Amino acid sequence: QVQLVESGGGLVQAGGSLRLSCAASRRTFSTSVMRWYRQAPEKEREFVAQINWSGSTYYTDSVKGRFTISRDDAKNTVYLQMNSLKPEDTAIYYCNLVCGADDYWGQGTQVTVSS
């Protein structure tokens, strides 16, 4: 069993930056994939970004050029650097780990962007 804990959310003005962190309770398989999702009130959970074991990344179109996902295997941590934030980015952000047949989720961290 793996626990994921997100942190780094907060309130920022439009155009500002935040860096989210997601720490895993223990090491995972080398083939694991880590993703960030977000969910605004009364909306469906939305994919944001992912990074695989080789370091390759993928982003949803709305955040390309603004967000960067990265990982530090020594710290069992994945990051989401968010720049040029927009009010539309306001949501609870969730870390997701896919490890073999297992799928783990963090508790979420709130990001609020004021206009």
Side-chain angles (χ1 to χ4, degrees):
Q1 185 66 37
V2 177
Q3 282 74 49
L4 304 176
V5 179
E6 301 98 331
S7 62
L11 173 64
V12 297
Q13 290 185 312
S17 298
L18 286 172
R19 189 179 74 163
L20 307 183
S21 299
C22 174
S25 61
R26 63 177 177 86
R27 290 185 176 182
T28 58
F29 296 115
S30 62
T31 56
S32 64
V33 176
M34 301 195 78
R35 299 185 175 102
W36 286 97
Y37 288 79
R38 64 188 181 186
Q39 187 169 20
E42 302 181 1
K43 297 187 68 176
E44 297 294 320
R45 188 166 297 188
E46 174 191 24
F47 167 79
V48 177
Q50 74 174 30
I51 185 167
N52 71 4
W53 55 91
S54 70
S56 63
T57 59
Y58 180 77
Y59 303 89
T60 191
D61 286 343
S62 63
V63 308
K64 286 182 178 178
R66 300 189 298 120
F67 291 10
T68 303
I69 188 171
S70 62
R71 62 192 293 171
D72 185 339
D73 290 339
K75 297 182 178 180
N76 299 320
T77 300
V78 64
Y79 303 95
L80 185 67
Q81 178 67 46
M82 305 185 295
N83 299 325
S84 302
L85 283 162
K86 305 175 180 179
E88 307 92 88
D89 298 317
T90 295
I92 300 175
Y93 283 70
Y94 297 91
C95 180
N96 169 236
L97 166 66
V98 179
C99 186
D102 297 317
D103 194 2
Y104 304 95
W105 292 88
Q107 82 290 344
T109 185
Q110 177 70 49
V111 172
T112 302
V113 185
S114 62
S115 60

